[in-house]
Every structure is written in structure tokens, then in C-alpha cells.
Amino acid sequence: MKKLSIKTTAHSQFREITREVQAALAEIGLRDGAITVFVPHTTAGVTINEHADPDAMDDVIHALNKLVPWSDPAYRHAEGNSAAHVKAIMTGSSARVLVEDGNLQLGTWQGIFFCEFDGPRTREVWIAAG
Amino acid sequence: MKKLSIKTTAHSQFREITREVQAALAEIGLRDGAITVFVPHTTAGVTINEHADPDAMDDVIHALNKLVPWSDPAYRHAEGNSAAHVKAIMTGSSARVLVEDGNLQLGTWQGIFFCEFDGPRTREVWIAAG
Amino acid sequence: MKKLSIKTTAHSQFREITREVQAALAEIGLRDGAITVFVPHTTAGVTINEHADPDAMDDVIHALNKLVPWSDPAYRHAEGNSAAHVKAIMTGSSARVLVEDGNLQLGTWQGIFFCEFDGPRTREVWIAAG
């Protein structure tokens, strides 16, 4: 298992990590198969989506923040970041990417994103074959 | 890796692909383990849900379209399909299915669905063991 | 493949199953790699999120129920539980956990949760290496 350290710089942020995952894949040495990209946090997630136009992921952040407002008088979780947990569950804690000839197999417009919902923080991403 | 070509016929559509995935599994020749079904697009996803009553997935499309309206004055992504990106992230870019004796292991009511959020288009689905 | 039987006790419930999954892992005998935790239902899901403060998952249930109301005059699915299908799709039908030295690798605050959206019912969870 390879562990990446990621520093996020905003409260909500989709930070592309495709290059870091490809580098981890080279270290792991997997030629063919699939890898799992796992986020060991409860207020952050990982997703695969558009990396060509940064406006696309900014719009996603806007839409998710509108869907799940930060404040709700019904929230009881003492840390006050329940909305971040909801968004982490919606995006998911792992992504799966197929591998051929040692290369991540992604669609033309796809990149892998670390999804920060309660930053800025220093975070981890775990990557393993299989 | 096996690649399926899928033609969607509506702007939003959950198209069942269980049979095509089972056929790909036979070509791959996997007897026991698990497969990954991956969508290499940023405005479409894949999910596993009810295939017995088509009304169920029509209701899901209705609910997702209500949650994430197509138009929002705050959207900046030039292609105008930000809502499709949000829904693709919610459903996810891959599904995982266990395999025994060469057969997909699914619950009684479950089918595998390609989730089109910005169609109609010709799309791909990638399937691999592991 | 190991099958767990889970009894949920409420209409909406996030029930932690980390201990049961770890026990299944011991029976499977996997030392290093990853496992898939799969839910063979269409109105329930599985997720990985905070297990330290139960208020956090209660707030998630509250937020999801507010996002996807149970009743909507547009719903056509005869069973009347379309909202549960939407929430099952949002959370997902499988979770993936890395394994080292026979132990599930999870972040400090993470637990594995069975997500009931149309209970109470007796449910299954399927666990397999790979």
C-alpha cells in the first residue's frame, strides 16, 4: 500500500491527484489489473470526473453545498461538520481504476479527484493493487 | 478488458446492461472472484438497483433531476451540463460485482444500469476481472 | 463468499458492521489485498464513515431524508419506496476496504455501515476477497 499526503487549501475543494496516483502505480509495479484509491477520512471523499475545465468541478462544489447546507438546526453532531459527512458519503470513500501496461485507464476527460469537504487540512490517500 | 458500446436514447436514462456484462464475463473467462464495471465518461455513471419494475428507475431519474436542476445561474462550466457531472459523481464511475461459477452474483431485484445524464449519446462501458 | 445476516430495527438506520466484516475476513483467511462488501438489496446500501459519534450518522440520515422526501406525487413505483431506491444509489451497493496482515485498514474515525432505507427488515451482506 502506498500512502500519499495531500494538503488541501480551501474548505471545499476538488484537488486532482491523477499524476500522484500514476506515480504510486509505478512504485507498486502493477502492469495489468486494477487499483483501489481509498480515502481514510470521514469528511472527504474521492471521485473520478472532469479534469479539462476546472469550472466543472467548481460547479459541482457549488451544487453540493446548495444541496447540503452547512447549517441545519436539526444537526446534533458536536463537531458541527455534519454536512461534510453527507457529502463524503455521496462521493464515496474509494475509486477504482483499471490498469493496462502499467497505465491508469481513464476516459479522455477523466481525472481522479480528492474531494475535501471540511478543509483546509493535511489528508491521506491510500493506493493499493487489487 | 472488454469494451461495450452503449447507445442511449434519452437525455436522462437508466439502461440495464446486466446481460451485456454477463456476456463480457463469459468472454473474460473468470470463474470466481469479482469484476469491475467502469464508465469512462464524466456525465454518465453506473449503478446497481432494481430491474423488476421500470417505474422505480424512472422515479430515481425524476428525483435526481429535481435535486440537481439543469439550470442554475451560478454555473460557469461552458458546456452547460454541470448538473450531469453532479449526478455522475453521485452515482459513481464504477460498480463491483462478485462472481461465482462464472455467474454474476446479484440480489433478486438487482440489475446493473448504465446511467445517462447528458444523452442521447454513444457511450462505452469497460469491464475487467479484479 | 461469506454471507452475513443483518436485522435492522428502524425505517432508516446506519448500522455499523465493522466487527462482523473483520470476523468474515478472518474466516476468508485473506492476509493482504482488499475485500468487497456488497449489499444485494435495492433499498439499502453500504458506506464507510464516522463511527465515533453516533450523532454524525443520525445527522446524515436526517439530511438524506430531507433531500429525498418519502412522498412525491410524481412517483409511480407501486411499492411506494422510491425514495429508498434513490438513497441506496447515492450511498452505493459496495464498499472496498484494503487489508494488511489480516486486518481491515480503516482511518481512525472510520467504520463500515449497512445503510437501511426501508426497514426494519432482515438483510444480507456479502463479503469476498478481491
Side-chain angles (χ1 to χ4, degrees), chain A residues 36 72 76-77 82 85 130, chain C residues 49 53 59 62 66 96 110:
Chain A
T36 297
D72 184 321
R76 293 176 300 179
H77 180 41
S82 294
H85 291 279
Chain C
N49 209 269
D53 175 6
D59 286 356
H62 162 78
K66 208 162 113 175
R96 200 147 168 78
Q110 286 183 318

Side-chain angles (χ1 to χ4, degrees), chain A residues 95-113:
Chain A
R96 199 149 168 76
V97 190
L98 304 181
V99 173
E100 280 193 354
D101 290 331
N103 293 308
L104 297 171
Q105 300 298 299
L106 291 165
T108 311
W109 309 105
Q110 286 183 319
I112 308 168
F113 289 87

Side-chain angles (χ1 to χ4, degrees), chain C residues 30-98:
Chain C
L30 180 73
R31 297 301 301 164
D32 290 290
I35 56 159
T36 298
V37 182
F38 182 84
V39 165
H41 304 288
T42 59
T43 55
V46 59
T47 198
I48 295 175
N49 209 269
E50 157 131 18
H51 68 152
D53 175 6
D55 282 350
M57 290 309 96
D58 285 348
D59 286 356
V60 168
I61 290 172
H62 162 78
L64 292 177
N65 286 343
K66 208 162 113 175
L67 269 179
V68 190
W70 192 256
S71 297
D72 184 321
Y75 285 156
R76 293 176 299 179
H77 180 39
E79 286 183 74
N81 59 359
S82 294
H85 291 279
V86 178
K87 290 179 277 189
I89 288 170
M90 282 179 170
T91 50
S93 57
S94 68
R96 200 147 168 78
V97 189
L98 304 182

